[in-house]
Amino acid sequence: MSVQKYSISGRPRPTGSKVDLYVWWAVRLSSLALFVLALAHFTMTHFVFDPGDQSAEWVRQTRWNSVALRALDWGMLMAVLVHGFLGMRTVLQDYVPSRVRSLSLGALYLLALILFVLGTQVVIALPFD
Amino acid sequence: MSRGTGPLASPQKLRNYPSYRGGEGMAAWAFHRISGIGVWLFIILHIIDIWLIGVNPELYDYLGQIYSSPPGRVMETLLGAALFYHALNGMRIVVMDFWPALTVYHRQMWRIVWIVFFAIGLPGAYIILKPIWEAVG
Ligand code: HEM
Ligand code: HEM
């Protein structure tokens, strides 16, 4: 359990476990989506608008009054959940002792599921004008 | 050639890496991991705060005031820095994973990451932080 399994760039493509290989691909493909979506989102929320403008009412009326923007935000939600939680899976596997590893991974996936439900609920249920 | 079996991934070379070439690769990796965990922590808070728009808009607006307060803006600047470094270095990783031949330029790419980081990040930080002194002055 040390950095020796990492190379100059990052985690080498796993060759042993099929699951690890799929995770490796999912982290990389979702990162391409996030590069566009998350940086565009940060640009919108800080350079185009300002956190001071973004009241709940404002978000509902100007941002989320469009199905397309809600869909885009939901897509970003999916990408960030896949990427962030599979990324944290690798981190936990590196540091958590094997005795409590499956417990901690279970907690990680449960948290991802809860955030999936909350994030999806608000996109769908928030009323349009 | 899959990188898992390539010369760069051989345990012997990796163990020697920090001494025979300097530590950029190691620093790049450590910063990438720390920034990834940091942004992940923010995302937990952020999905909950956006959920509040539906269930408790007053509480959301209250949190929004914290976001736009001076300490909130400092935190967002740090969040933006973590996200931006992670995004740029992440692209560097993906480029080398998909085109292993480019791995020989890993150091140049790491330098490009920092140039872009500061060239775009410093003006960005200025825009985020500006309201702090404009409100006072
Ligand atoms: C903005 C575009 C992003 C890009 C291009 C990107 C790219 C990457 C890549 C390529 C990896 C794999 C590193 C490796 O295997 O060595 C990774 C890992 C990770 N990412 Fe991202 N990422 C992005 C956004 C995010 C966001 C928004 C989060 C937070 C939710 C995040 C959290 C993580 C975590 C926790 C890891 C695991 C770190 C590790 O294993 O050392 N990333 N990222
Ligand atoms: C402090 C910085 C940030 C602020 C002030 C902010 C603000 C907002 C706001 C106002 C919304 C509502 C919809 C919209 O306007 O698009 C939103 C949604 C969202 N943001 Fe951010 N954002 C920030 C950073 C981030 C980062 C770094 C990510 C990482 C990818 C992110 C991911 C999301 C996602 C996934 C949604 C949709 C949530 C859902 O569908 O339930 N945000 N954000």
Side-chain angles (χ1 to χ4, degrees):
Chain A
M1 291 294 102
S2 73
V3 290
Q4 279 157 28
K5 62 181 178 184
Y6 294 93
S7 69
I8 289 164
S9 63
R11 188 168 171 240
R13 185 182 315 203
T15 46
S17 145
K18 264 260 175 319
V19 175
D20 284 350
L21 182 65
Y22 293 145
V23 167
W24 187 94
W25 274 105
V27 167
R28 274 146 187 81
L29 292 179
S30 57
S31 81
L32 297 178
L34 281 175
F35 190 82
V36 177
L37 292 174
L39 292 182
H41 180 66
F42 198 87
T43 302
M44 288 306 281
T45 53
H46 289 87
F47 305 141
V48 178
F49 303 108
D50 183 85
D53 311 330
Q54 296 161 25
S55 68
E57 197 45 32
W58 180 90
V59 171
R60 198 174 65 76
Q61 284 181 358
T62 61
R63 302 285 298 154
W64 277 7
N65 213 19
S66 132
V67 180
L69 263 177
R70 289 193 193 206
L72 201 69
D73 274 330
W74 191 78
M76 175 164 64
L77 177 73
M78 292 304 105
V80 80
L81 287 176
V82 166
H83 183 90
F85 281 82
L86 292 182
M88 283 307 290
R89 170 185 180 272
T90 306
V91 174
L92 290 184
Q93 285 176 337
D94 279 354
Y95 302 125
V96 173
S98 50
R99 169 166 58 79
V100 284
R101 186 163 307 152
S102 42
L103 185 72
S104 67
L105 288 177
L108 183 74
Y109 301 146
L110 181 65
L111 179 60
L113 183 70
I114 292 170
L115 294 178
F116 169 80
V117 171
L118 298 185
T120 304
Q121 193 257 336
V122 64
V123 175
I124 295 175
L126 199 70
F128 284 92
D129 271 341
Chain B
M1 178 185 65
S2 129
R3 278 169 26 78
T5 56
L8 288 166
S10 104
Q12 200 54 46
K13 289 247 171 79
L14 277 180
R15 201 167 299 125
N16 293 335
Y17 172 66
S19 55
Y20 83 94
R21 262 200 187 157
E24 291 102 329
M26 182 83 122
W29 174 83
F31 288 170
H32 195 81
R33 176 155 282 191
I34 294 164
S35 57
I37 296 172
V39 180
W40 175 76
L41 289 172
F42 168 75
I43 283 298
I44 299 173
L45 168 73
H46 188 45
I47 295 176
I48 295 172
D49 72 44
I50 294 302
W51 176 67
L52 290 174
I53 292 180
V55 295
N56 191 340
E58 293 78 23
L59 184 54
Y60 172 85
D61 286 347
Y62 176 72
L63 285 176
Q65 287 168 17
I66 299 178
Y67 276 101
S68 48
S69 72
R73 288 181 186 277
V74 173
M75 294 299 286
E76 275 153 59
T77 306
L78 293 174
L79 170 72
L83 178 71
F84 198 35
Y85 171 80
H86 187 94
L88 292 171
N89 189 60
M91 288 315 285
R92 173 178 158 274
I93 294 173
V94 172
V95 163
M96 292 191 286
D97 280 336
F98 292 170
W99 295 278
L102 291 174
T103 305
V104 289
Y105 298 115
H106 77 97
R107 249 197 287 187
Q108 285 86 335
M109 288 194 278
W110 162 251
R111 239 169 263 150
I112 294 172
V113 163
W114 284 113
I115 292 170
V116 176
F117 179 84
F118 284 111
I120 297 180
L122 287 178
Y126 176 77
I127 294 173
I128 298 173
L129 296 172
K130 192 169 54 171
I132 298 180
W133 52 87
E134 284 193 341
V136 189

